Each structure stands twice: as C-alpha cells, then as structure tokens.
Amino acid sequence: MLWAAAAVVTLGFLIALEIAARRYGLPGPITTQAREVIFPPKSGFLLYASMALMMVVLTWRQRAMAAATAIGIDVTFLVLRWALDIKVTEGHPFGNGALWVVLGCAVMAVTRRTGRERVLLLKGVGMALLLVAGRKTGDAWLLITAKTRPMVLDQYVATADHALGMPSWLVGRLVRASGTVGAHVLDYVYVQLAVFAVIISLYQLRNVATERRFPSHHLVRTFLMIGLLGPGIYMLFPVVGPIFAYGPDGAQWATADIWPETAPQLMAPQYMPFDEITPRNCMPSLHTAWATAIFIHSRKGPRIVRFAGTFWLMATLGATLGFGYHYGVDLVAGVVFVVTVEAAMRTHAHGWDHKGTKLVAYGATIFAALLLSYRFLPLEMAKYPWVSGPLLVLAMASVIVAYMRTAKQWEPKATAVREQEPQPELAV
C-alpha cells in the first residue's frame, strides 16, 4: 500500500511538471526520459550508475548478464548510428543499453517473478528510475524557477555574506590561481556528484541480494528527499549566485562585473530583476547538501571510503564557492538543511521517538531562522560581522552536534556477556 501510494504521488508529480514545462515550450521530465530509450542520452554515466544501483538485488550471475546486455545494446546502437551516418552532437553515445536493462527488469518483475522476489526487484528498478527521474525533474524544476521568479534576492544574500568574509570571492581567486588543473578537478567532482553517491550507495546495499531486503535507511533515501524538498525552497528564496549577479555570466542583468576580484560595496539591498533562463538554485546549496550526505554515510565504511567521502565534500565546497555558483551563507544553510533531512529520515527508520522529533524540529527552526535573517537582517549582519559570523557558524555547529549526539544514542550498543563460571557444589 505504501509503495503503491508513493508511486501514484511520484507519477502525478512528474505529470504536473511535464505540463508546466510544456507551457513554457520545453519538454518535461517524462518526455526527456522517454527520448533516451532511442536517442543519445544526456546522462549516460548516470544511467549506468542507476543500473548498477538496481543490480544490488540481483545475483552475481544475473549482474553479469545485465551488464553484458547493456553493453551489447549500446554497441548495437553505436553501429547503427555509424551505419546511418548519425552523428551524436548532443548527449552521450552510450547509456541507452542501461535504460533498456532497467526497463526489462521491470517487465520481468511483473511477468516472471512473484511474491517477495517480485517486490524486491521492483524496489531495485524503482530506485534506479527514481534516481534518473530526479535528474530530469530537477532540470524541469530549475526552468520553472527561472520563468516564475523574475526578481532575485542576490543583493540580500551578498550583503549577509559579509558576515562570513565573502568566501566566494576569496575561493574564486584561489581557484583561478590554481590554473586549469585545479579547475578541471573541481569541475569533475561537481558534475559527477550523483555518480559518486551511487558508489557509496552500492557499498551500503552490498548485502541486499543475500539478505533479500533493503536496510532501513541508506543514502538513496536521503538523496531523493533532498531533491524533493530543496527545489521548493528555491521558489521561496530565489537566488542566482555571484557568477551571475556580480560576474560575467550575468551579462546585462548583473549588478556589476566584479566577481571574484572586488567584493560588492556595503549598501541597502533590494530585489533585482534577472533573465528567464538562469535557474534560481542557490538557497540552500543542494550540492553542499548532497556532498554532506555522502560524507555522513561514508563514515561507517573502510578507510578508503571515508577518505573519498571527505575529499568529495571538500572539493564540492571548493567548487561551489570557487566557480561563483554560491555564496558562503548558502553553504551554511545547505549543511543545516541536509542534517535536518538526514535526522528526519533516520528518525523515521528508527521510530519517531521524542529525541528524534525534537532534533528535527530544532534543525527546521534553525534553518528557518537562517533564511529569515538573510532576508530581513542582512545589513545588520554585514555591519557587525564579528558577532553575526560566529553566530552563523555556531547555529550550524549546534545542529551538527545535536545530530551526532542523537545518532549515537540510536546506535546499537554492544554489551559484552560474561560467561559465568560453574560454581563448586557445596559439601553436605
């Protein structure tokens, strides 16, 4: 019943986004996903990562067959395009095979599986399709933010960012000084965030095929919830980012072309108009949220997994600031947002007890307070940075510490059971 209800809600949401996108003359998430069955997909790597995620429910023999089938289908498409002289000018020359395999497993689950085996396979297929659909949904949603929010709040956020010392301007200059190598590394990390999340998820779900069930909580659940809730906040707090509002990418819409050389002067902020193309996707920073979720879920892995999770978080923070995509206060809000979401997901898996409910309420309150302060107190924050800056960091740290303490209490405690030695019988 729960899975059926979730499927109905998801389908309705996708249909609504499809209709909204077509009103603005662009294909929606359903159309773009359907096109990738035949046409070169824009998300080739993500399609194979999604297929790999689905294969956690399969045996090793079935995984080998699925991978070989996907590669064979992609080779067939490649040969046909070469024979018909069809050049791939947009998208990847591979990925169709992975999507075909996922859809084929869905058909197999309905027609060839029964009972618990069918449910398990359908869960794997649904998880893979949701990951891809989330990417398509995000693209459509970002378009809607640009079309429906003509005024942006960048001046408010940039003013509030004085409390943190304008980190985007500082890191932007550092990235430029690092040259092309540093920029390419950060760009690769930034773009392939979803693929790395799948790698962490594969480690978490490595025992699903043998245990015949999914764990109560894993990274994919948090990732999907971030993608579901985050874009809604974009509509309430539209921000385009320093590279657009204060940099060359904003063209005639930018306040000035000063990023990252010169920080904006302190003045009373106001709404500013912007184009109908640039997404309003800065507040909060969802890339920071996703990278933080990866970091949290990588803590229980081996050393190489923990190291990779730490590297991905640090590189993502560097990219979001160094490329001018976000302000520093965006990152603070993104961390509080993801820790609150993660707390809610873990509380749901653990059971909604008093501690978990209190933690989620506290995180939501801090997050709302951050947004309200950015909007209504930015000038005061900029005038007293030695007060407002530490308060921002302290507010973020308090949510992190509260989560760590509560999560530690949820962990199963290993109690050593001492074997009792046999007592000597008393002489009668």
Side-chain angles (χ1 to χ4, degrees), residues 42-387:
K42 293 183 178 180
S43 49
F45 289 104
L46 184 61
L47 285 171
Y48 266 93
S50 300
M51 183 189 70
L53 197 60
M54 179 209 67
M55 291 195 299
V56 298
V57 304
L58 304 179
T59 63
W60 282 107
R61 179 175 176 272
Q62 292 168 339
R63 293 171 187 172
M65 293 176 59
T69 302
I71 295 174
I73 293 174
D74 274 334
V75 170
T76 303
F77 270 94
L78 186 64
V79 172
L80 288 175
R81 289 173 185 140
W82 174 78
L84 298 175
D85 197 21
I86 300 176
K87 297 182 179 180
V88 179
T89 58
E90 184 179 0
H92 293 88
F94 59 90
N96 304 97
L99 182 58
W100 277 56
V101 168
V102 172
L103 296 176
C105 287
V107 175
M108 182 180 296
V110 176
T111 59
R112 303 288 297 274
R113 300 289 180 89
T114 58
R116 190 173 181 179
E117 296 293 327
R118 172 185 291 177
V119 173
L120 188 66
L121 184 54
L122 285 177
K123 284 183 179 180
V125 171
M127 187 167 56
L129 291 179
L130 277 175
L131 189 63
V132 180
R135 178 72 171 268
K136 306 301 180 185
T137 300
D139 294 340
W141 195 268
L142 294 181
L143 168 67
I144 294 173
T145 64
K147 296 293 185 180
T148 60
R149 293 295 182 269
M151 309 294 287
V152 296
L153 297 171
D154 280 77
Q155 292 188 16
Y156 291 87
V157 180
T159 302
D161 210 38
H162 280 80
L164 299 176
M166 307 297 290
S168 181
W169 271 256
L170 174 61
V171 180
R173 291 194 291 269
L174 291 176
V175 170
R176 287 193 176 183
S178 66
T180 58
V181 176
H184 285 153
V185 171
L186 292 180
D187 181 66
Y188 181 83
V189 170
Y190 191 85
V191 172
Q192 300 300 335
L193 181 65
V195 176
F196 185 73
V198 171
I199 296 175
I200 299 296
S201 300
L202 289 175
Y203 174 78
Q204 288 184 321
L205 304 176
R206 64 192 183 279
N207 297 324
V208 169
T210 56
E211 296 178 356
R212 313 310 296 167
R213 65 179 182 85
F214 281 85
S216 59
H217 178 54
H218 49 85
L219 179 60
V220 178
R221 299 172 78 245
T222 302
F223 245 64
L224 293 176
M225 188 58 64
I226 292 172
L228 178 64
L229 298 177
I233 304 173
Y234 293 161
M235 303 292 286
L236 300 175
F237 212 106
V239 181
V240 294
I243 190 66
F244 298 100
Y246 296 96
D249 289 10
Q252 73 271 18
W253 298 95
T255 300
D257 187 1
I258 58 176
W259 183 91
E261 288 80 11
T262 307
Q265 296 181 355
L266 190 60
M267 62 180 66
Q270 59 184 354
Y271 281 90
M272 57 181 289
F274 218 79
D275 61 29
E276 296 184 356
I277 300 175
T278 306
R280 280 63 164 153
N281 62 339
C282 281
M283 182 62 68
S285 171
L286 292 194
H287 260 79
T288 298
W290 281 317
T292 305
I294 291 174
F295 174 80
I296 293 173
H297 283 264
S298 65
R299 293 306 88 193
K300 292 185 178 181
R303 180 177 300 178
I304 184 64
V305 174
R306 297 196 303 270
F307 174 80
T310 303
F311 168 77
W312 224 265
L313 173 60
M314 300 305 296
T316 300
L317 296 179
T320 54
L321 292 173
F323 293 148
Y325 296 149
H326 289 281
Y327 303 91
V329 290
D330 298 342
L331 274 61
V332 173
V335 171
V336 174
F337 173 72
V338 68
V339 173
T340 304
V341 171
E342 177 69 14
M345 301 304 293
R346 290 204 56 179
T347 302
H348 179 73
H350 178 76
W352 284 92
D353 56 6
H354 175 71
K355 295 178 181 178
T357 304
K358 184 179 178 180
L359 173 61
V360 174
Y362 178 70
T365 301
I366 295 297
F367 180 72
L370 290 176
L371 295 188
L372 291 174
S373 65
Y374 299 162
R375 171 59 182 84
F376 296 105
L377 299 173
L379 203 56
E380 289 74 9
M381 295 173 64
K383 289 182 179 179
Y384 306 101
W386 294 108
V387 177

